[in-house]
Amino acid sequence: MKYGLILTSISLILASCSSKEKPEEERQQNILVEDRQQVTTEVAKKGQFALEIVSNGKITADKYADIYWEVSGTISEIFTNNGRHVQAGTTIAKLDAYKLKNQFESAQANLEQSKLNMKETIIGQGYNPDSTNIPDNIIKLAEIKSGYLQSLSSYNSTKYDYEHSTIKAPISGVVANLNDRVSNLTSNSKPFCRIIDQNSMCVEFTVIENELNMVTVGGKVEISAYSMPDKKWTGQIKEINPFVENNGMVRVKATVNNGSELFEGMNVSIKISKNAGEFISVPKSAVVLRSNRPVVFTAKDGLARWCYVETSIENSDNIAIISGIEAGDSVIVSGNTYLADKTEIIY
């Protein structure tokens, strides 16, 4: 009877010990898992490597028209607004032309009267006013006495003013910088508006002198607008100003393909690429410094492997590797800041 109680007690003690050890073992395993470094990887690739120039620039219209009022007056009608597309020849604004019209019609009547007076003078000199053989001195005398020359000058002047009391679009494009309103007086010192041909958008930017070997007329550029980061445009270099400024910069202009969404004056980023040959390349984030030497960590069998590398040229995204890793290696591109050789990793 006592022997049975002893066996039961021993069994309970063993069960109790077993139940305490199991959670501890699981806890140790969890700690080992948590100590593993979480990383992300990419495959090192071999291929053509592109050198890049990155610059900032502004969008400008290669074709535009600033429209001025050529006569003074009060604006009576405006038929467009900023951002609206207009066709060449479309009337976009008018002045209150009542006085201008009266002045023109009066000048027209005076001209007709002076023509009659000129004919009477020619007849008085003994010539047929419809003849083509009237001496020049007689014609000049008739023009002066009749007041024809003054009437003709007044007619042409008032006709010009009356005709220019209406503004028409000289080119097709989008209206910009229209700030005047109906009933405003015209201003001859500033444009009434600007019409921009959005099919002629260009980008102006600068490059440093020692980058000129990568810039050629006809070369391709990639354009991205800060206000539209998800979109990109292509273009071609149109001109290179053959002058180095005091700060060592050279001005460059490129056309923009299908740039109708861009606004004149918009700030953009420009990228020019040039093939530099074949290299193994990795993302720039894959390269870290250890004792001032470049290191790339590769991922193999759940461990981070420390590799000293020799680097070469780089662009905005990638860096070329001369030695230290091979194409096809799985390189660690994030989570590599505090890695050591043979650190256990999760990826």
Side-chain angles (χ1 to χ4, degrees):
M1 188 69 178
K2 290 181 179 179
Y3 180 73
L5 290 172
I6 291 170
L7 287 176
T8 303
S9 300
I10 291 171
S11 299
L12 290 171
I13 291 168
L14 289 173
S16 175
C17 291
S18 176
S19 64
K20 288 180 180 178
E21 287 176 358
K22 189 172 182 181
E24 180 64 20
E25 184 178 316
E26 290 178 353
R27 190 179 70 84
Q28 292 294 337
Q29 290 176 350
N30 289 337
I31 289 172
L32 289 174
V33 171
E34 290 170 0
D35 285 346
R36 293 176 185 174
Q37 181 68 42
Q38 181 74 48
V39 299
T40 55
T41 63
E42 289 190 23
V43 176
K45 299 176 181 178
K46 188 172 184 178
Q48 296 298 321
F49 193 89
L51 281 174
E52 293 178 349
I53 296 175
V54 178
S55 181
N56 295 322
K58 281 189 178 292
I59 296 296
T60 180
D62 204 37
K63 185 179 179 182
Y64 66 88
D66 283 331
I67 302 174
Y68 290 82
W69 286 107
E70 297 188 47
V71 294
S72 298
T74 301
I75 300 171
S76 63
E77 293 180 275
I78 298 175
F79 302 104
T80 188
N81 52 267
N82 287 319
R84 180 176 294 181
H85 190 276
V86 294
Q87 295 293 330
T90 302
T91 299
I92 58 177
K94 286 183 177 181
L95 295 181
D96 183 353
Y98 178 77
K99 290 183 179 179
L100 296 175
K101 181 181 180 183
N102 285 344
Q103 290 169 355
F104 169 63
E105 290 176 348
S106 177
Q108 190 175 29
N110 290 336
L111 179 63
E112 294 301 321
Q113 182 60 52
S114 66
K115 287 179 180 179
L116 293 175
N117 294 339
M118 188 171 67
K119 287 183 178 182
E120 289 179 359
T121 301
I122 291 172
I123 292 171
Q125 296 295 319
Y127 292 95
N128 181 356
D130 298 324
S131 173
T132 58
N133 297 319
I134 304 172
D136 290 342
N137 62 324
I138 299 299
I139 292 176
K140 184 173 292 186
L141 175 66
E143 288 176 342
I144 294 172
K145 290 188 68 176
S146 65
Y148 172 77
L149 294 178
Q150 293 89 335
S151 297
L152 180 62
S153 175
S154 178
Y155 170 81
N156 288 334
S157 177
T158 56
K159 180 182 179 183
Y160 180 91
D161 288 349
Y162 180 54
E163 289 178 347
H164 286 79
S165 64
T166 296
I167 287 181
K168 295 185 178 182
I171 63 171
S172 298
V174 174
V175 176
N177 298 338
L178 197 166
N179 297 315
D180 285 341
R181 297 292 181 266
V182 171
S183 300
N184 285 180
L185 293 175
T186 59
S187 171
N188 296 325
S189 61
K190 63 181 182 68
F192 171 70
C193 70
R194 171 176 288 192
I195 297 180
I196 300 170
D197 181 356
Q198 290 188 300
N199 294 318
S200 70
M201 304 309 283
C202 295
V203 58
E204 294 182 351
F205 59 100
T206 57
V207 298
I208 58 177
E209 182 180 354
N210 61 10
E211 292 176 336
L212 279 174
N213 63 324
M214 288 184 59
V215 183
T216 56
V217 173
K220 293 182 179 180
V221 299
E222 182 182 278
I223 302 137
S224 55
Y226 297 113
S227 58
M228 293 182 279
D230 296 332
K231 293 188 176 181
K232 294 187 184 300
W233 292 261
T234 59
Q236 292 78 40
I237 294 173
K238 178 181 180 181
E239 60 183 59
I240 303 168
N241 188 21
F243 179 80
V244 180
E245 299 177 356
N246 292 334
N247 57 2
M249 306 302 286
V250 177
R251 295 192 173 275
V252 182
K253 188 174 186 179
T255 59
V256 181
N257 300 326
N258 303 315
S260 58
E261 290 182 276
L262 299 171
F263 292 173
E264 185 172 12
M266 186 176 279
N267 293 302
V268 295
S269 174
I270 300 94
K271 183 188 293 185
I272 301 173
S273 300
K274 183 179 181 180
N275 185 17
E278 193 172 73
F279 289 90
I280 295 171
S281 65
V282 298
K284 293 170 76 172
S285 62
V287 181
V288 294
L289 290 179
R290 293 291 188 270
S291 300
N292 292 321
R293 292 181 62 184
V295 168
V296 170
F297 287 96
T298 60
K300 188 175 182 181
D301 299 328
L303 299 176
R305 298 292 184 174
W306 176 310
C307 304
Y308 283 114
V309 294
E310 183 181 357
T311 62
S312 181
I313 53 180
E314 61 183 75
N315 56 34
S316 57
D317 299 316
N318 300 312
I319 187 166
I321 305 295
I322 297 175
S323 64
I325 62 171
E326 300 294 332
D329 285 349
S330 181
V331 299
I332 298 173
V333 296
S334 71
N336 53 351
T337 305
Y338 302 108
L339 285 180
D341 190 35
K342 297 183 180 179
T343 300
E344 292 188 359
I345 54 176
I346 303 172
Y347 56 96

